[in-house]
Amino acid sequence: MAPPRNVVKIAVQMRDAIPQLIKLDQAKPLAAVLKEVCDAWSLVHSEHYALQFADGHRKYITENDLEAERLLGGLQCGNRERRRETLQHLVLLAPDMTFAQEVISRDGLQRLGTIIEDGDDLGELLALALRAFLELMEHGMVSWETLSIPFVRKVVCYVNMNLMDASVQPLALRLLESVTLSSPALGQLVKSEVPLDRLLVHLQVMNQQLQTKAMALLTALLQGASATERKHMLDYLWQRNLRQFIYKNIIHSAAPLGDEMAHHLYVLQALMLGLLESRMRTPLDPYSQEQREQLQALRQAAFDPEGESLGTGLSADRRRSLCAREFRKLGFSNSNPAQDLERVPPGLLALDNMLYFSRHAPSAYSRFVLENSSREDKHECPFARSSIQLTVLLCELLRIGEPCSETAQDFSPMFFSQDQSFHELFCVSIQLLNKTWKEMRASQEDFDKVMQVVREQLARTLALKPSSLELFRTKVNALPYGEVLRLRQTERLHQEGTLAPPLLELREKLKPELMGLIRQQRLLRLCEGTLFRKISSRRRQDKLWFCCLSPNHKVLQYGDMEEGSSPPTPESLPEQLPVGDIKALLTGKDCPHVREKGSGKQNKDLYELAFSVTYDHGEEEAYLNFIAPSKQEFHLWTDGLSTLLGSPMDSEQTRLDLEQLLTMETKLRLLELENVPIPEQPPPIPPPPTNFNFCYDCSIAEP
């Protein structure tokens, strides 16, 4: 009979005692189980004992844990060695939720807080006390806001001390980070007591753990500050060359970047870019003299680079008319550009970007504006409209104005490589947009399509996390419109599973059969015949002739025809050319009837449709020349003649037909596997059995 499911066999051991193997009935109260175990060892007061896992997490199995009382009693012992062992044991057991509840309920946090505040030992004992305190607080049973101001100030002192044990300061910084993030009031205390210069000192030591915790506290202080305070703090840090130090000594350090540091750099990047949010959400004020002057400076940089006044000697109305026309040329949708910049986002951030581009890349700015404003073929790229939409696009890609993720690590080293990184990124992106516009031969109606391509170019390049702006420029310019289309096609095929190795193998097996089908179709088309036009010496296509392949595929039959008459039967055609006499197939400029006829547009069109077959006529080489009525007929006839000659069919039409047939046949064969993932590799074939004695002998009759 099988034992009940709630009964398990476990081994119980105790120091200086013989281990027991007991049957533990999980339905019994834990106190009864403990009494049975203690009775087996002749121990009294079973309520003073607890069960603990001997391996792994070493958690207690207890309903009323008195081990906590014993450990907390050890904290008050005057023997330093015993206190150290007690703290080590406490650190080991603190992650256990049950044990933590018992410790906290017995004022364990207060006892640890006393050790930390007294600071009698600034070495290992203090580090162990801080670690145990943090482990207990991490359970969330006690709020960080309950900590006393003297306690927080004492921890701040440990952070600000110059000569301090290397194991203490990272723990003190970690504690202050939790305080800052959880309690605004205590966070203000930490901000006032811990100077930024002190955090810079911790960041510049070659201790990765200390750097990480200092960066954590720094980002916590920045997150707790108001927008104005955050800007002042970041400006001060940048003046103290923090950005350069992060870029050279943390991002490009010889030691690998940890996940925690990567997260804090992501937060710092988000806070840096978040300073742009106020400009992004502020519309242009048409009554602001400063903003009107900025718009005029933008116009003058494009059309009055020498600083000449607009329309000197003209009336006020004439000057306003010229100014409105130049704003239109600049790419604004309205003659009053303030109306374009009233939209938020991007608000004033778009104007900031345009001004930065005009001042820091004046030649590129002038070239962009003048090149497009002078075009009359409706293919001009509007600078202002593009800049406004591009600013919106960059804000979306960089998540400006969105709250920071608690786990993300996707910072970009490029934003720590130089000052004004967002505006510099805009300068590269606006030139990329102009380049993509030309590659797509876009017009105003294609504006949204161009922006979609530019979004993809920027997103793909940002995902590579280039280490500098120059590297970003190189990579994004190496991703032209044609490459974006190719990547889209490849990804679509991957999503459909077309490029999975098993499907590629299936397609290769299907190709010979489908190529045979295409060859058969080409020969049938030749048998149907086609009406061709003859080219006279004056380049006039005024005569018609008909050519077809005999049903047995051995003879080409052809002859002249009158326009408007019905196609003749093969037997009525007077001329014949045996397929066996054909020596070669010529196309394009190699054909004798279009060779050396000049290079005009009409001749180029004929080159694409011309083909000839060479054959022996007595002792001379003769030609049968064709001008196909269309590109499709050209492909069909050249494929068919190649098949007759035993040559491969390499036309574009054959490639398209083969791809279509392969796609259809593959989908038909995989209908029953819809929504079933296809593995990259076939499952392994199991090894053969050690013997084959399992075969059933059918000749033996059963009794």
Side-chain angles (χ1 to χ4, degrees):
M1 181 177 176
R5 289 188 176 181
N6 58 351
V7 176
V8 295
K9 289 185 178 182
I10 63 170
V12 183
Q13 64 181 7
M14 186 177 69
R15 185 179 300 174
D16 302 326
I18 300 173
Q20 301 180 42
L21 181 65
I22 67 170
K23 290 183 179 180
L24 175 63
D25 186 352
Q26 299 177 65
K28 273 187 181 182
L30 186 57
V33 175
L34 285 170
K35 189 171 187 321
E36 290 178 2
V37 173
C38 290
D39 289 345
W41 278 321
S42 301
L43 299 173
V44 295
H45 303 300
S46 62
E47 66 273 12
H48 292 174
Y49 293 89
L51 293 176
Q52 180 190 28
F53 289 104
D55 54 0
H57 44 64
R58 302 181 65 84
K59 289 185 178 180
Y60 278 93
I61 307 169
T62 179
E63 294 171 344
N64 185 20
D65 185 20
L66 296 182
E67 176 71 6
E69 186 65 39
R70 186 183 67 81
L71 287 175
L72 292 177
L75 293 180
Q76 297 175 331
C77 176
N79 187 318
R80 185 179 185 281
E81 184 61 27
R82 185 181 171 193
R83 290 177 70 187
R84 187 181 65 81
E85 291 179 358
T86 301
L87 284 169
Q88 287 177 336
H89 201 185
L90 190 58
V91 168
L92 186 64
L93 300 176
D96 184 350
M97 174 71 77
T98 304
F99 177 79
Q101 287 175 336
E102 295 296 334
V103 171
I104 292 172
S105 67
R106 289 169 170 76
D107 297 330
L109 284 172
Q110 287 80 354
R111 298 188 194 186
L112 288 169
T114 301
I115 296 175
I116 295 170
E117 282 192 69
D118 290 345
D120 296 334
D121 187 313
L122 299 180
E124 185 183 7
L125 285 182
L126 179 58
L128 289 170
L130 284 167
R131 190 180 300 277
F133 188 91
L134 285 165
E135 292 290 349
L136 293 172
M137 290 295 293
E138 289 296 327
H139 291 290
M141 290 180 282
V142 178
S143 172
W144 289 94
E145 295 183 348
T146 60
L147 300 184
S148 66
I149 291 178
F151 174 83
V152 174
R153 280 184 170 153
K154 189 63 179 180
V155 177
V156 168
C157 288
Y158 296 146
V159 170
N160 291 337
M161 281 185 182
N162 288 324
L163 299 176
M164 175 59 65
D165 190 278
S167 61
V168 171
Q169 287 188 325
L171 294 168
L173 287 164
R174 177 183 163 191
L175 193 151
L176 293 180
E177 178 207 1
S178 299
V179 167
T180 304
L181 292 174
S182 304
S183 172
L186 292 176
Q188 286 298 319
L189 174 64
V190 174
K191 179 185 172 186
S192 62
E193 297 281 342
V194 180
L196 292 178
D197 285 329
R198 188 63 196 166
L199 292 179
L200 289 173
V201 170
H202 290 317
L203 282 169
Q204 292 174 4
V205 299
M206 293 297 104
N207 181 331
Q208 196 170 37
Q209 185 183 16
L210 187 57
Q211 280 184 340
T212 302
K213 298 308 176 185
M215 184 64 74
L217 179 56
L218 177 61
T219 54
L221 291 172
L222 288 169
Q223 285 178 285
S226 65
T228 304
E229 290 175 330
R230 187 181 303 147
K231 185 176 188 309
H232 290 324
M233 291 170 69
L234 285 171
D235 287 345
Y236 179 77
L237 292 169
W238 267 213
Q239 289 173 7
R240 298 299 305 272
N241 298 323
L242 175 62
R243 179 190 61 75
Q244 293 90 326
F245 181 83
I246 290 174
Y247 185 72
K248 294 178 181 178
N249 298 86
I250 295 180
I251 295 177
H252 292 289
S253 170
L257 196 68
D259 291 344
E260 187 178 355
M261 178 61 86
H263 170 69
H264 295 312
L265 290 177
Y266 153 78
V267 174
L268 183 59
Q269 174 185 303
L271 295 173
M272 283 168 20
L273 295 174
L275 296 177
L276 303 169
E277 183 181 3
S278 60
R279 300 290 288 179
M280 180 185 75
R281 301 199 184 281
T282 304
L284 185 137
D285 182 4
Y287 301 104
S288 168
Q289 180 64 26
E290 179 188 2
Q291 293 170 16
R292 287 203 302 269
E293 290 175 356
Q294 289 175 336
L295 284 171
Q296 291 299 332
L298 195 65
R299 180 192 62 77
Q300 290 174 355
F303 302 107
D304 299 319
E306 302 300 328
E308 299 175 1
S309 60
L310 175 68
T312 304
L314 298 178
S315 65
D317 290 341
R318 180 61 177 162
R319 283 199 301 271
R320 280 196 296 270
S321 174
L322 285 174
C323 187
R325 189 174 66 181
E326 288 185 347
F327 275 123
R328 286 275 193 177
K329 285 185 177 182
L330 200 55
F332 286 98
S333 302
N334 301 280
S335 55
N336 180 6
Q339 296 176 358
D340 293 58
L341 294 168
E342 288 176 352
R343 169 189 172 192
V344 289
L348 291 176
L349 186 57
L351 178 59
D352 294 342
N353 279 334
M354 289 188 282
L355 282 170
Y356 188 91
F357 183 47
S358 66
R359 292 168 179 170
H360 292 81
S363 58
Y365 170 70
S366 299
R367 185 167 59 251
F368 186 118
V369 174
L370 298 177
E371 177 184 286
N372 287 285
S373 63
S374 61
R375 300 186 67 169
E376 300 293 340
D377 55 0
K378 296 184 180 180
H379 287 285
E380 68 278 3
C381 178
F383 171 74
R385 182 186 176 190
S386 300
S387 298
I388 292 170
Q389 193 59 38
L390 182 60
T391 303
V392 175
L393 173 58
L394 289 173
C395 291
E396 291 174 355
L397 289 175
L398 299 174
R399 302 181 184 277
I400 295 176
E402 296 184 16
C404 297
S405 166
E406 294 183 1
T407 57
Q409 302 173 8
D410 54 340
F411 77 96
S412 179
M414 175 179 67
F415 290 102
F416 295 94
S417 65
Q418 64 182 77
D419 296 325
Q420 304 294 338
S421 54
F422 180 80
H423 296 312
E424 290 289 341
L425 176 62
F426 171 83
C427 294
V428 174
S429 302
I430 193 67
Q431 295 177 75
L432 169 73
L433 190 150
N434 190 37
K435 172 175 170 285
T436 303
W437 185 283
K438 294 177 185 176
E439 292 171 351
M440 295 177 67
R441 297 188 55 79
S443 60
Q444 293 289 339
E445 292 78 13
D446 302 317
F447 185 84
D448 291 338
K449 294 180 182 177
V450 175
M451 292 308 301
Q452 289 176 3
V453 174
V454 172
R455 171 187 281 273
E456 192 165 344
Q457 290 172 314
L458 293 176
R460 288 180 182 275
T461 309
L462 286 171
L464 300 174
K465 297 184 179 179
S467 58
S468 66
L469 191 72
E470 284 305 315
L471 189 58
F472 175 86
R473 187 197 308 272
T474 302
K475 288 183 177 295
V476 80
N477 285 325
L479 195 64
Y481 175 56
E483 180 66 12
V484 171
L485 291 181
R486 188 190 68 79
L487 290 172
R488 285 177 177 176
Q489 174 74 4
T490 303
E491 289 171 358
R492 183 182 63 81
L493 292 175
H494 273 295
Q495 290 174 356
E496 295 175 355
T498 309
L499 297 182
L503 290 184
L504 293 176
E505 185 178 347
L506 175 61
R507 287 165 63 93
E508 288 298 321
K509 290 184 177 179
L510 292 174
K511 273 185 181 180
E513 179 184 353
L514 297 179
M515 285 299 293
L517 187 62
I518 295 173
R519 279 192 290 268
Q520 184 179 356
Q521 187 270 339
R522 299 296 194 259
L523 294 176
L524 287 174
R525 184 68 188 84
L526 265 60
C527 291
E528 292 177 7
T530 301
L531 194 64
F532 297 95
R533 288 189 177 273
K534 288 185 177 181
I535 304 297
S536 65
S537 58
R538 296 182 181 180
R539 316 301 288 167
R540 293 177 56 192
Q541 304 183 23
D542 50 2
K543 294 183 180 181
L544 300 174
W545 65 290
F546 186 84
C547 183
C548 67
L549 180 65
S550 63
N552 61 3
H553 302 169
K554 292 187 176 181
V555 177
L556 284 177
Q557 297 173 303
Y558 59 96
D560 293 341
M561 278 190 59
E562 294 294 332
E563 190 167 0
S565 59
S566 58
T569 61
E571 295 79 11
S572 63
L573 294 172
E575 303 291 341
Q576 292 186 349
L577 173 60
V579 172
D581 291 348
I582 298 176
K583 296 172 56 181
L585 171 67
L586 307 176
T587 59
K589 295 182 179 181
D590 295 332
C591 300
H593 57 305
V594 295
R595 193 183 301 157
E596 297 178 0
K597 296 295 184 181
S599 59
K601 183 179 184 300
Q602 185 180 7
N603 290 326
K604 290 182 179 179
D605 293 339
L606 289 178
Y607 292 156
E608 296 179 355
L609 301 175
F611 62 97
S612 303
V613 293
T614 64
Y615 62 95
D616 291 330
H617 184 67
E619 296 182 357
E620 297 181 355
E621 187 176 57
Y623 300 90
L624 183 60
N625 301 317
F626 300 79
I627 298 293
S630 66
K631 195 68 178 176
Q632 184 180 16
E633 287 291 334
F634 173 82
H635 290 317
L636 294 175
W637 270 84
T638 53
D639 286 344
L641 292 171
S642 296
T643 299
L644 292 174
L645 295 175
S647 302
M649 299 184 298
D650 53 5
S651 70
E652 180 68 15
Q653 188 65 40
T654 296
R655 189 188 65 78
L656 294 175
D657 290 348
L658 178 61
E659 182 61 32
Q660 185 176 13
L661 290 172
L662 282 170
T663 302
M664 292 173 58
E665 185 67 22
T666 303
K667 288 182 177 180
L668 285 173
R669 297 203 179 197
L670 297 178
L671 276 178
E672 296 183 0
L673 294 179
E674 189 173 0
N675 297 326
V676 176
I678 300 174
E680 292 287 326
Q681 299 294 333
I685 300 174
T690 55
N691 62 70
F692 295 88
N693 296 336
F694 52 82
C695 294
Y696 182 76
D697 191 352
C698 298
S699 63
I700 300 176
E702 295 184 359

